[in-house]
Amino acid sequence: MDLREAVSAGVLEQRELLAQGALSAEQLVEATLDEIDAAADLGAFTHVLRDEAKAAAVDRDRERAAGEPVGPLHGVPVAVKDEFDVAGVVTTFGTRANATPAVADAEAVRRLRAAGAIIVGKTAMPEFGQWPFTESSTFGVTRNPWDPSRSPGGSSGGSAAAVAAGLVPVALAGDGGGSIRIPAACCGLFGLKPQRGRVPMSPNEHLWWALGAAGPLTRGVLDSAVVYDVIRGSTPTDRFRAPEPPTSFEAAAREPARPLRIGYSTKPHALMVKLDPQYVRAVRDTAKLLTELGHTVAEIDPHYPESMHAFFPQFFGGVRAELAEIDHPELLERRTKQTMAVGAWARRPVVEWAIRRGEALTRKMDRVFTECDLLLTPTIAIRPPLLGVLDGANTVRAQLASIPMVAYTELWNVTGHPAASLPAGVGDDGLPLSVQLVGPTNGETTILPVAAQLEQARPHPRPVALSHR
């Protein structure tokens, strides 16, 4: 395997190459940085940590040579979405309005480093993660590696583009309404939004109140599970906390999937959403495959409740909370200033009411999982859109354009249930297809074996450019 192939390998592949001495961390990081530079037109990165990453690679090689204990990500390059603190780097949230470098790593980043990972850069996002399209006036557009004229989705579009392009094997992402799952769907990746409170938000108490979750974007299920085992586990400062799972995520992803009851539905949560027929086919094809793999599969009506009354107060309140920390509010995008004005009513008492409403919706959706063990749905309703969705759009137009992208994802942020987007082949347009698996409360270890089983039966596709590297 040459260096370019090593860079585009997965987490476990890179870990094995490093452990065997087939290459050094320094060689891998140097090659990774070269590939990031060569793919600058993708717009995946907002900040590349060249000197810091090279120095960290030398340290990882020295530690291994000295026989010191190594972590599960020792020497593996990782990218971080630009809403998580990396010490010494400005956390931009996709805006030019911040200028003060972070004094310390976010807890999830600290855990990645403690496991031996090497942080190579920060990835692009729309301003304050408001939109499922990665476009900003500060950093421009991020392109989809499958088709550079298309969006990688958002808000974790930079992380998704970096992984899909083979620039890093994993990138940390965040999901407040679908922002892990939507770019995973657009870029042919595996993206699990974990149970609320599974991954620490420290130094913050929350990410968009009860809506937000952090997690990795990877090309494979097992890679995701390994990274989750590194970063999961709440801290005393986290407002929301999940109990310890019955087994490690890696063990769950490796174990044979037991036969489950799986319900499927193509009904969206949102009104007036037209589902692309290719996603109908993807869901039905996946349901058929699951049946062949031994599961009991049936179409159901989940009876989705209306959730926007619980979502929007937390969305507006979450954005307002992040905006309160910025250095230069005058430099915000016009659209973000409009969001602040439109959401001026989302004060703390309203947000707390919305959180309680979300908890009631959680109990209502828990009833679905008395009928089935997992729920299979589309992830997004439309094909990855052309770039420029946000060009000239005010906050209302941007919200309307976002509806088809979040029509199957945002409810599970309101309820906190784990949900994963996984590849389901390639569409007639040459772009990836995806489906979503939703689990019961604290059900990541129910999702992972089935996701891994599907991956083995139907290997995840890669962009054509990468398949010929």
Side-chain angles (χ1 to χ4, degrees):
M1 181 181 291
D2 65 24
L3 276 175
R4 292 189 70 190
E5 291 174 326
V7 169
S8 65
V11 172
L12 294 181
E13 293 172 284
Q14 288 191 356
R15 187 172 76 177
E16 185 64 20
L17 289 168
L18 291 163
Q20 292 175 346
L23 76 169
S24 66
E26 187 175 9
Q27 289 173 316
L28 180 57
V29 166
E30 288 275 7
T32 295
L33 294 170
D34 288 345
E35 292 296 295
I36 291 171
D37 287 344
D41 287 350
L42 278 180
F45 285 84
T46 60
H47 192 95
V48 180
L49 299 168
R50 291 179 179 82
D51 293 339
E52 299 91 331
K54 290 177 182 179
V58 171
D59 287 342
R60 297 295 87 77
D61 286 335
R62 176 186 53 76
E63 291 160 358
R64 191 182 294 276
E68 296 180 20
V70 299
L73 300 177
H74 197 89
V76 175
V78 176
V80 174
K81 184 180 179 181
D82 212 348
E83 66 182 347
F84 300 105
D85 289 348
V86 170
V89 183
V90 176
T91 306
T92 72
F93 294 98
T95 179
R96 65 170 67 89
N98 271 350
T100 304
V103 297
D105 289 336
E107 177 62 14
V109 175
R110 187 198 68 77
R111 292 179 182 185
L112 288 168
R113 289 198 207 264
I118 297 171
I119 310 302
V120 296
K122 305 290 291 288
T123 57
M125 58 186 290
E127 195 163 84
F128 292 96
Q130 297 170 82
W131 319 113
F133 319 103
T134 305
E135 305 172 8
S136 79
S137 62
T138 301
F139 297 105
V141 299
T142 301
R143 301 177 183 276
N144 192 323
W146 287 78
D147 178 349
S149 71
R150 301 277 175 171
S151 173
S155 64
S156 307
S159 288
V163 175
L167 305 180
V168 287
V170 58
L172 188 62
D175 191 316
S179 293
I180 289 175
R181 291 158 290 158
I182 293 166
C186 290
C187 295
L189 304 176
F190 179 74
L192 168 66
K193 180 197 80 69
Q195 173 68 30
R196 176 183 299 142
R198 181 68 65 201
V199 175
M201 293 294 108
S202 178
N204 304 306
E205 292 183 7
H206 59 81
L207 176 65
W208 283 14
W209 299 99
L211 298 179
L217 279 163
T218 60
R219 290 188 291 278
V221 176
L222 187 55
D223 281 357
S224 177
V226 168
V227 176
Y228 263 118
D229 282 338
V230 166
I231 64 174
R232 64 180 173 83
S234 58
T235 68
T237 62
D238 290 305
R239 172 164 178 176
F240 305 100
R241 305 179 194 181
E244 187 68 13
T247 184
S248 74
F249 282 18
E250 180 177 356
R254 288 186 183 277
E255 70 183 21
R258 58 187 175 85
L260 298 178
R261 301 165 302 156
I262 300 176
Y264 73 91
S265 174
T266 57
K267 177 183 177 181
H269 316 152
L271 299 175
M272 299 181 296
V273 170
K274 183 178 181 181
L275 178 63
D276 189 288
Q278 294 188 78
Y279 292 124
V280 177
R281 187 173 73 244
V283 169
R284 295 190 181 277
D285 286 349
T286 302
K288 180 182 177 185
L289 177 55
L290 287 165
T291 300
E292 294 169 354
L293 292 169
H295 301 283
T296 300
V297 184
E299 187 169 12
I300 67 169
D301 184 348
H303 299 290
Y304 295 126
E306 196 284 317
S307 58
M308 288 301 173
H309 65 296
F311 177 83
F312 272 120
Q314 295 181 77
F315 165 77
F316 286 120
V319 173
R320 288 175 61 85
E322 291 173 344
L323 291 174
E325 304 298 321
I326 64 172
D327 301 316
H328 300 287
E330 71 279 4
L331 297 180
L332 292 170
E333 292 178 352
R334 176 178 59 90
R335 185 169 42 243
T336 299
K337 293 176 182 178
Q338 292 169 347
T339 299
M340 290 179 67
V342 170
W345 52 273
R347 304 292 177 176
R348 183 66 177 266
V350 180
V351 170
E352 295 293 345
W353 174 87
I355 292 172
R356 292 193 296 273
R357 291 303 306 149
E359 291 167 349
L361 294 178
T362 302
R363 293 189 290 272
K364 183 171 289 190
M365 294 314 299
D366 278 340
R367 297 171 193 159
V368 171
F369 300 103
T370 63
E371 183 180 350
C372 59
D373 300 304
L374 292 174
L375 176 64
L376 170 68
T377 77
T379 308
I380 55 178
I382 59 174
R383 305 300 285 140
L386 292 169
L387 297 171
V389 177
L390 299 181
D391 287 355
N394 60 27
T395 192
V396 175
R397 280 182 54 199
Q399 292 283 359
L400 292 173
S402 300
I403 291 173
M405 300 291 275
V406 304
Y408 292 92
T409 57
E410 61 80 20
L411 173 63
W412 309 113
N413 293 85
V414 171
T415 66
H417 289 89
S421 177
L422 52 152
V426 177
D428 299 336
D429 51 10
L431 298 171
L433 295 169
S434 70
V435 293
Q436 180 177 229
L437 279 178
V438 186
T441 298
N442 297 312
E444 296 101 325
T445 54
T446 304
I447 293 173
L448 286 166
V450 177
Q453 183 184 40
L454 284 170
E455 180 182 48
Q456 185 174 11
R458 184 176 60 193
H460 295 175
R462 302 188 74 178
V464 172
L466 282 184
S467 66
H468 294 295
R469 284 174 72 161

